[in-house]
Amino acid sequence: MSSIIEFTQKEGNPTKLNTRATIGTSDAGITLDGPLGDKTTFIASVRQSYLQVLFKLIKLPFLPTYNDFQFNVKHKIDDSNEISIIGLGAIDNFKLNTAVNNSITDEDDLKRNNYILRNIPVQEQWNYTVGASYKHFSNNSVQQVVLSRNEWENNAKKYFNNTDSAADLLLDYSSKEIENKLRVENTATLANNYKLNIGAGMEQATYTNETFQKRVNTTEVSIIDFDSKLNLMKYAFFGQLTKTYFNSKLGASLGFRMDAVNYSDAMKNPLNQFSPRFSASYELSDKLTANISVGSYYQLPTYTILGFRDEFNNLVNKENELKYMQSTHYVSGFELKPSKSVKMSLEGFYKKYSNYPFSVNDQISLANLGSDFGVVGNEEVESSSKGRAYGIEFLAQKKSFDGLYGILSYTYVISEFQDKNNNYIPSSWDNKHLLTITGGKKWRKNWEIGGKFRLVGGSPYTPYDYDASSIIENYNIANQGILNYEALNANRYDLYHQFDVRIDKTWYWDRFSLNFYIDIQNVYASDSPQTSYLTPSVDGAGNRVINASDSSKYVLEEIDNTSGNVLPRFGFIFDF
């Protein structure tokens, strides 16, 4: 389980050290912030989870743990110069709870737990980022230099029936990414109310990958076994020019970005990744504004794709003329501010995707692999997949007024990618409806109650190929049902909705405050239907049942896979 933390400076006395300690049902942490001198301030935090204890108590077959830290030190050299040093990191471990079935007697629960234990790999990962940012303030411009380094290591291992025997190894994956980055930019205010931002970036990246993996689909069993190392140089140029017209009623922005990497001859040329962008907004009245934007964007495929090698140790995706993924966005809409505390917006969008990686082995776009456990992109691909997404977004926001606040957001989206026959079909992210309503009320004596309602349309999914799944050799490698990509995303889950509530009570003293909260997720235990588990039937002795008419196949059965648990949590936050 990974986590992302943003630096936030809480309100307090800037001349003294402030401390915040948090203790909850899933983790505990401490945050310090304050001065290190007349010109230097800092904020630092550390957090450690104990989810593994909670998951053992509620009988889950996996045990995630995470530890993370962050710090930010800012020093004002003088009125024209300042420097910031930032660091963050995390250590995440994901283990199996092999004792989960102790004292469990329900047959379906036993089958579900055994399925998950057979299927999920043991994972460990750690990452860190450190960097420094220097700013120089001139009369009409700001120069900034950013230097950073980040490193990420990921390991995953899986054995058939978790035997830890070398003969039963199904997956042994280890990768590391190291990036050293430098960015220089200048933002200047020019004559006639023009504002110009221009800059360049350079990055040195090292990627290593050691993989042994047995794979299976509806047609074949294959073994991936390679070691790979890449040393890449990336560079980028960017710029943006903005100006307002007609007494600031009209604002316009024109920009560009060019990216390149020395992975291949095509990717070396930044003109092949030239990305122009344009946006404009016009105040139709003091309360209503119209907006429009169009832009082209390029993204480098993942290192997993770049570094994949075939059985002859060739960078096969490089030979397949791998390209940057490209998308073009068109967005237009209106923003209404009927009062100081209320804002509403309505936008329509159309996004077009090209050069998306397409699996040679499975003959599907990687956009349709979903977000299940596993390594995505560690295979031969072609930059041939196309997609599109379009719809509308509505947002209404009420800032706190008399203690009452709320946000409502709704998106209707159609997301499609081409199949192997170049027909557009729903992608794995084609939920259609996304609704979120968040609100709350601050009461007297420092009580606060808030809630969140979420509604998500059912996403598409691909049904199983029962015949291919039942073959003993196939199932012993996959440890799950094999999907029938001839019916790619032909089925769809039911719509899902959930309501969460949180109650806070805060006490204040002269130099100390205490906040106690209760957070209940999925208050009315709404079920979230997912693809059922396909697993071999077992006899009374726990042995897998073999098909009486075909000894090369198992007898399979489906087990419901729904999650509708009420998850109560509570915790304390101390400020002093």
Side-chain angles (χ1 to χ4, degrees):
M1 178 177 291
S2 60
S3 57
I4 299 175
I5 305 174
E6 294 184 355
F7 289 112
T8 56
Q9 184 79 34
K10 68 183 181 66
E11 293 183 2
N13 188 340
T15 64
K16 76 176 185 69
L17 178 67
N18 300 301
T19 304
R20 166 169 288 189
T22 61
I23 301 175
T25 53
S26 60
D27 57 50
I30 186 168
T31 301
L32 305 175
D33 73 86
L36 292 176
D38 294 339
K39 297 183 178 182
T40 307
T41 59
F42 87 102
I43 179 171
S45 69
V46 177
R47 182 173 60 163
Q48 184 176 55
S49 77
Y50 32 82
L51 272 175
Q52 65 275 21
V53 178
L54 176 63
F55 280 28
K56 282 183 179 180
L57 290 174
I58 61 178
K59 292 291 186 178
L60 292 182
F62 48 90
L63 304 174
T65 62
Y66 58 87
N67 305 271
D68 51 51
F69 66 88
Q70 62 175 341
F71 71 86
N72 183 3
V73 179
K74 181 180 289 187
H75 176 67
K76 185 177 181 181
I77 301 172
D78 53 40
D79 290 342
S80 301
N81 301 277
E82 70 175 32
I83 187 170
S84 298
I85 300 175
I86 297 173
L88 57 91
I91 302 173
D92 303 330
N93 295 316
F94 193 99
K95 297 182 179 180
L96 300 179
N97 183 10
T98 55
V100 66
N101 287 327
N102 293 348
S103 73
I104 290 182
T105 57
D106 184 87
E107 186 174 344
D108 285 344
D109 286 342
L110 289 170
K111 290 179 180 179
R112 271 190 288 267
N113 289 339
N114 288 331
Y115 177 92
I116 295 172
L117 288 173
R118 292 196 312 265
N119 191 262
I120 297 180
V122 175
Q123 291 180 290
E124 296 179 354
Q125 68 177 35
W126 57 264
N127 64 84
Y128 72 84
T129 299
V130 292
S133 172
Y134 167 74
K135 287 184 180 181
H136 174 71
F137 302 92
S138 303
N139 289 335
N140 296 309
S141 64
V142 178
Q143 293 78 43
Q144 184 175 20
V145 179
V146 180
L147 180 65
S148 67
R149 175 184 173 89
N150 60 271
E151 187 170 352
W152 178 51
E153 182 173 301
N154 186 23
N155 301 283
K157 188 170 286 189
K158 190 65 185 177
Y159 294 90
F160 175 67
N161 279 342
N162 302 311
T163 64
D164 290 337
S165 170
D168 293 329
L169 183 64
L170 299 175
L171 171 67
D172 188 359
Y173 172 84
S174 178
S175 70
K176 179 180 285 190
E177 302 172 12
I178 303 173
E179 296 174 328
N180 301 295
K181 303 178 183 180
L182 172 66
R183 188 179 82 247
V184 180
E185 62 181 294
N186 180 73
T187 302
T189 301
L190 308 177
N192 298 319
N193 208 27
Y194 282 98
K195 187 175 182 179
L196 176 66
N197 172 263
I198 192 165
M202 183 173 64
E203 178 181 333
Q204 185 276 326
T206 300
Y207 171 73
T208 59
N209 183 334
E210 298 178 10
T211 294
F212 174 86
Q213 182 181 14
K214 292 183 179 180
R215 292 191 58 193
V216 60
N217 60 17
T218 56
T219 60
E220 64 178 354
V221 174
S222 59
I223 294 178
I224 299 173
D225 189 2
F226 71 92
D227 294 348
S228 185
K229 183 175 182 178
L230 288 180
N231 287 296
L232 302 174
M233 288 297 300
K234 309 177 194 178
Y235 50 100
F237 307 96
F238 54 90
Q240 184 175 2
L241 184 66
T242 60
K243 180 174 170 51
T244 58
Y245 303 87
F246 311 123
N247 294 322
S248 298
K249 286 185 173 294
L250 173 65
S253 174
L254 180 65
F256 77 94
R257 183 180 173 93
M258 293 187 293
D259 290 273
V261 64
N262 66 344
Y263 180 76
S264 64
D265 290 338
M267 291 182 173
K268 283 181 181 178
N269 187 350
L271 294 176
N272 291 338
Q273 288 80 233
F274 177 71
S275 307
R277 296 95 185 265
F278 172 77
S279 63
S281 63
Y282 185 76
E283 293 185 4
L284 300 172
S285 69
D286 59 346
K287 297 181 179 180
L288 183 63
T289 303
N291 305 293
I292 186 171
S293 66
V294 59
S296 178
Y297 304 87
Y298 284 88
Q299 182 178 343
L300 187 69
T302 63
Y303 291 132
T304 313
I305 295 174
L306 295 173
F308 175 75
R309 295 182 185 270
D310 63 12
E311 64 269 28
F312 304 107
N313 204 40
N314 297 317
L315 290 171
V316 61
N317 293 327
K318 179 179 179 180
E319 296 178 353
N320 289 349
E321 298 181 352
L322 187 69
K323 299 180 177 66
Y324 276 78
M325 296 178 286
Q326 194 271 339
S327 64
T328 303
H329 298 188
Y330 305 90
V331 182
S332 181
F334 298 90
E335 182 179 282
L336 177 66
K337 295 181 179 179
S339 67
K340 292 182 179 180
S341 62
V342 177
K343 180 175 70 174
M344 294 181 287
S345 63
L346 178 66
E347 290 186 338
F349 62 88
Y350 183 90
K351 301 177 182 181
K352 182 170 62 176
Y353 303 92
S354 61
N355 299 339
Y356 209 89
F358 187 85
S359 171
V360 172
N361 190 51
D362 294 328
Q363 289 292 288
I364 65 168
S365 172
L366 297 194
N368 285 318
L369 287 182
S371 58
D372 204 355
F373 292 98
V375 180
V376 176
N378 209 22
E379 59 180 302
E380 182 180 357
V381 302
E382 296 175 344
S383 294
S384 59
S385 180
K386 295 181 179 179
R388 62 191 180 191
Y390 52 93
I392 59 172
E393 292 182 340
F394 173 75
L395 174 68
Q397 178 179 0
K398 182 181 184 344
K399 296 180 181 179
S400 181
F401 180 77
D402 196 24
L404 185 66
Y405 57 90
I407 299 177
L408 182 151
S409 65
Y410 171 74
T411 300
Y412 175 78
V413 60
I414 295 175
S415 175
E416 300 172 321
F417 270 81
Q418 290 181 342
D419 62 11
K420 64 180 181 180
N421 299 314
N422 296 325
N423 298 317
Y424 280 101
I425 63 170
S427 79
S428 296
W429 316 108
D430 185 55
N431 294 97
K432 305 297 186 193
H433 304 282
L434 302 169
L435 173 67
T436 302
I437 303 173
T438 303
K441 170 69 175 178
K442 295 181 179 181
W443 302 88
R444 291 180 300 173
K445 298 184 178 181
N446 303 312
W447 284 92
E448 181 176 352
I449 184 170
K452 176 189 288 186
F453 175 79
R454 288 175 288 172
L455 182 148
V456 180
S459 60
Y461 70 94
T462 303
Y464 292 122
D465 184 320
Y466 282 84
D467 186 64
S469 300
S470 66
I471 297 173
I472 293 176
E473 181 185 19
N474 288 354
Y475 198 94
N476 287 351
I477 292 173
N479 281 310
Q480 59 184 337
I482 298 172
L483 300 181
N484 177 16
Y485 289 133
E486 295 296 325
L488 181 63
N489 284 343
N491 298 347
R492 189 177 288 273
Y493 298 118
D494 293 334
L495 177 145
Y496 174 73
H497 49 84
Q498 175 178 318
F499 179 66
D500 307 329
V501 65
R502 173 165 166 156
I503 300 174
D504 286 75
K505 166 62 176 175
T506 305
W507 294 267
Y508 293 97
W509 293 274
D510 290 341
R511 298 184 178 181
F512 178 77
S513 68
L514 169 64
N515 171 258
F516 172 74
Y517 66 87
I518 298 175
D519 181 4
I520 304 175
Q521 297 185 23
N522 198 15
V523 172
Y524 48 80
S526 178
D527 285 332
S528 174
Q530 302 174 37
T531 303
S532 59
Y533 296 145
L534 192 62
T535 184
S537 299
V538 295
D539 59 22
N543 299 314
R544 295 181 176 184
V545 178
I546 297 176
N547 193 320
S549 60
D550 188 344
S551 61
S552 68
K553 295 181 178 180
Y554 286 128
V555 174
L556 301 179
E557 63 175 309
E558 290 191 53
I559 304 172
D560 287 339
N561 176 23
T562 59
S563 59
N565 295 328
V566 179
L567 297 177
R569 302 186 304 171
F570 66 90
F572 299 89
I573 301 174
F574 305 89
D575 283 306
F576 51 92

